[in-house]
Amino acid sequence: MEKEKKKFSFPSAYTVILLVLFLVMILTYFIPAGKYATLSYNMEKKEFSLVQPTGETSVEPGTQKTLDKYEIKTNLDKFKDGSVYKPVAIPGSYKELERENKGAFGALKEFLNAPIQGLEESISIITFVLILGGIIGIINKTGAFAAGMNSLSKKLKGREKWLIILTMTLISLGGTTFGLAEETIAFYPILVPIFIAAGYDALVAIATIYLGSCIGTLGSTVNPFSIVIASNTAGVTFTDGMGLRIAMLVIGTVMCIVYTVHYAEKVRKNPELSLIYDQKEELEHKFLKNDFENEAPIFDLRKKSMLLIFALGFMVMVYGVKELNWMFVEISSLFLLIVFILAIISGLNEKTFVNEFVTGASDLLSVALVIALARGVTIIMENAMISDTLMYHLSNSVSNMNGPVFTTVLYFIYILLGFFIPSSSGLAVLSMPVMAPLADVVNIDRALVIDAYNWGQGIISFIAPTGLVLASLAMVDITFDKWVKFVMKLMVAIALVSIILLAIGVYL
């Protein structure tokens, strides 16, 4: 009897990131090490700190003359008020450096250390994820989610697509205004069961939340972590070129909504057309399971109160991030407070409450590990000093181009840089002092360089394993290949729109 051939199974998120980590390690042997000199402002001493590529530091006067001396076209006030808070690369200061030959043992040690360092450096967001998982476990145990979903599904009967439209629009607005990104991880445990109960698949939930965040940050208009810091570093006001950015935001958001709704309605009418149909029963069991299998739980005052407090937590979180500059320490503290409140009103005894919290946290441990591994990739690049080298050579490659050719090639350069440098603010302060002056040479508005940066690094965030996508997919146990298959056509369409808008900007 002939043996049945094993069906190929796409690797898990962990394996994908480890492969990327390994490939980046290999690249460090082919890409030379190098650094730009950087200038950073000390608010307390009111002076600049100059760090040479070789590591030597010196002090420069905290004046506009110092910025002019090093050809950094940024107003001193932007450093003083904290708008530019990271070290800025000095144009023309790139220097190739000798990299220590660590040998096979040293390379293995660095490869193994990177995920551990990634865990250490990502501990604040990982803490938030685990607390969130604990809260989900508690609410699931009480049946509050099941009761709430049952009530909501009745109210949405026949109008399910509006849940996609409204949710994606709101998340997109959060992305364009204050950079709503990592925080959206909190939305998956709430919205995935609702989407599945409405007749959609879990991929629709991922698309609604993750695409909403991606297109919002791609189409940033006043986002302080991308557009504002990039504009300040490039020496222009962030309102320059606002018309094109609004156009990109509106067009991109509409495209994402139409694309997602089309797929969602197709799946709702015929579940077999789902790209994850083979996981249908597994995901329904995971997200719709509860202790009330015979009948839907009553949506009583206790359950309503628990969900209301949980929802209020997100509202406070959004306010804190936007208005109070909260980071994940403050966000985690907020949700820890919610844990204590739920302990009082849940009706669960102490032992059950703690057990369900620990069980819920363990359910999201996989997401925490993915976040740590992704951060490890960035650490490898930083240790190998290849980010600045990539910037140096890529900037030279476009220096003799002009018009739409310049903006198009620059767009693809930022797609590449966005893969290796997923931090929007980090990429801005590294690249703008180098790239923005090129706009003057080819006689175009510097705002177009900022658009190419934001749209390029934004579009690659749809699929870059070094970003948030794998952590998001891990929330719902969907493999990377299925997501790529779903989103690729949309990515190509949005990329074409970006290139056309950049070309239009050249002639405006």
Side-chain angles (χ1 to χ4, degrees):
M1 185 176 175
E2 193 176 331
K3 284 186 178 181
E4 186 180 344
K5 288 185 179 179
K6 287 186 178 180
K7 187 177 179 182
F8 173 76
S9 176
F10 196 83
S12 66
Y14 312 110
T15 304
V16 171
I17 296 183
L18 284 171
L19 287 172
V20 172
L21 194 66
F22 180 69
L23 289 173
V24 170
M25 278 288 296
I26 292 175
L27 283 177
T28 64
Y29 288 92
F30 296 96
I31 300 176
K35 294 279 288 182
Y36 281 97
T38 61
L39 205 63
S40 57
Y41 187 73
N42 188 315
M43 288 190 179
E44 292 182 1
K45 297 182 178 180
K46 297 182 179 179
E47 61 187 19
F48 284 108
S49 175
L50 174 64
V51 180
Q52 297 292 344
T54 50
E56 295 93 348
T57 61
S58 58
V59 174
E60 293 280 346
T63 63
Q64 187 66 47
K65 284 185 178 180
T66 299
L67 294 174
D68 295 339
K69 172 184 174 182
Y70 291 107
E71 298 182 2
I72 297 175
K73 307 298 182 182
T74 306
N75 192 292
L76 179 64
D77 292 338
K78 300 301 180 182
F79 286 91
K80 287 184 174 181
D81 64 17
S83 298
V84 179
Y85 56 90
K86 290 190 174 186
V88 175
I90 297 175
S93 65
Y94 174 82
K95 182 176 181 180
E96 194 168 304
L97 302 172
E98 287 291 328
R99 186 187 292 124
E100 179 187 353
N101 186 0
K102 299 178 181 178
F105 179 76
L108 177 62
K109 181 182 176 182
E110 189 171 6
F111 179 81
L112 296 175
N113 283 350
I116 309 302
Q117 289 178 265
L119 181 65
E120 181 183 8
E121 295 186 14
S122 307
I123 195 64
S124 58
I125 184 173
I126 287 171
T127 301
F128 166 63
V129 168
L130 295 179
I131 291 174
L132 179 67
I135 293 175
I136 299 303
I138 291 163
I139 296 178
N140 270 334
K141 179 64 177 178
T142 63
F145 271 144
M149 284 187 293
N150 184 55
S151 175
L152 184 62
S153 62
K154 290 178 181 176
K155 292 178 181 177
L156 286 175
K157 200 69 176 176
R159 301 189 300 274
E160 292 88 352
K161 65 182 178 183
W162 281 101
L163 185 62
I164 299 171
I165 296 169
L166 293 174
T167 302
M168 190 179 289
T169 300
L170 290 173
I171 293 176
S172 176
L173 289 173
T176 191
T177 52
F178 62 92
L180 184 67
E182 290 95 340
E183 298 83 0
T184 58
I185 286 176
F187 300 152
Y188 291 104
I190 304 171
L191 293 177
V192 172
I194 293 173
F195 278 104
I196 292 177
Y200 300 131
D201 64 13
L203 199 55
V204 174
I206 288 284
T208 302
I209 299 168
Y210 190 69
L211 283 183
S213 170
C214 285
I215 199 63
T217 51
L218 181 153
S220 290
T221 50
V222 295
N223 180 356
F225 304 108
S226 58
I227 287 297
V228 174
I229 194 170
S231 299
N232 290 337
T233 313
V236 298
T237 61
F238 72 89
T239 54
D240 287 356
M242 185 63 75
L244 274 183
R245 289 170 197 153
I246 292 174
M248 184 71 247
L249 174 68
V250 173
I251 294 170
T253 302
V254 170
M255 288 173 70
C256 288
I257 289 173
V258 171
Y259 189 83
T260 304
V261 168
H262 173 73
Y263 171 82
E265 289 299 302
K266 182 174 66 174
V267 167
R268 188 171 65 84
K269 293 172 183 175
N270 185 357
E272 292 184 4
L273 295 177
S274 167
L275 293 175
I276 54 171
Y277 182 71
D278 58 329
Q279 294 178 260
K280 186 175 187 295
E281 290 185 9
E282 172 195 342
L283 293 174
E284 285 179 354
H285 172 73
K286 177 177 179 177
F287 290 102
L288 300 182
K289 67 179 179 181
N290 56 73
D291 295 332
F292 309 92
E293 294 180 356
N294 295 326
E295 57 181 285
I298 299 171
F299 199 31
D300 56 23
L301 180 60
R302 186 194 299 274
K303 295 181 180 64
K304 288 178 181 177
S305 299
M306 292 181 71
L307 293 182
L308 178 62
I309 289 168
F310 195 30
L312 285 174
F314 293 106
M315 295 179 190
V316 175
M317 177 189 76
V318 169
Y319 175 81
V321 171
K322 185 176 185 295
E323 301 295 335
L324 306 177
N325 297 317
W326 278 8
M327 303 301 284
F328 276 101
V329 171
E330 291 82 6
I331 295 172
S332 297
S333 298
L334 168 66
F335 280 85
L336 185 59
L337 174 62
I338 291 173
V339 172
F340 295 147
I341 295 173
L342 293 180
I344 297 171
I345 69 172
S346 67
L348 301 175
N349 63 55
E350 182 269 342
K351 187 174 182 180
T352 302
F353 185 91
V354 172
N355 285 341
E356 292 303 324
F357 180 87
V358 172
T359 301
S362 67
D363 286 342
L364 293 192
L365 183 60
S366 60
V367 179
L369 294 175
V370 168
I371 292 168
L373 286 171
R375 175 60 186 149
V377 176
T378 306
I379 289 171
I380 291 288
M381 289 192 61
E382 290 172 352
N383 292 342
M385 298 180 291
I386 63 175
S387 299
D388 289 29
T389 301
L390 287 171
M391 172 60 61
Y392 172 72
H393 289 291
L394 291 173
S395 63
N396 287 342
S397 69
V398 294
S399 58
N400 296 318
M401 299 176 183
N402 54 47
V405 175
F406 172 82
T407 56
T408 301
V409 174
L410 189 62
Y411 174 71
F412 284 103
I413 284 175
Y414 272 114
I415 288 176
L416 178 61
L417 290 173
F419 179 89
F420 288 105
I421 310 172
S423 167
S424 57
S425 56
L427 183 55
V429 295
L430 170 64
S431 68
M432 282 305 140
V434 178
M435 294 296 198
L438 298 179
D440 302 336
V441 176
V442 299
N443 197 29
I444 67 170
D445 193 337
R446 288 191 175 195
L448 287 175
V449 176
I450 296 168
D451 290 340
Y453 139 80
N454 204 48
W455 299 349
Q457 61 113 24
I459 196 69
I460 195 61
S461 70
F462 282 43
I463 59 170
T466 48
L468 283 175
V469 64
L470 291 181
S472 300
L473 293 172
M475 295 289 289
V476 294
D477 296 330
I478 294 175
T479 54
F480 185 58
D481 61 318
K482 291 176 181 175
W483 170 252
V484 172
K485 185 176 181 180
F486 169 80
V487 82
M488 190 53 66
K489 290 180 182 177
L490 177 64
M491 278 186 67
V492 172
I494 292 175
L496 289 173
V497 170
S498 301
I499 291 168
I500 291 169
L501 287 178
L502 286 170
I504 290 172
V506 171
Y507 299 108
L508 288 179

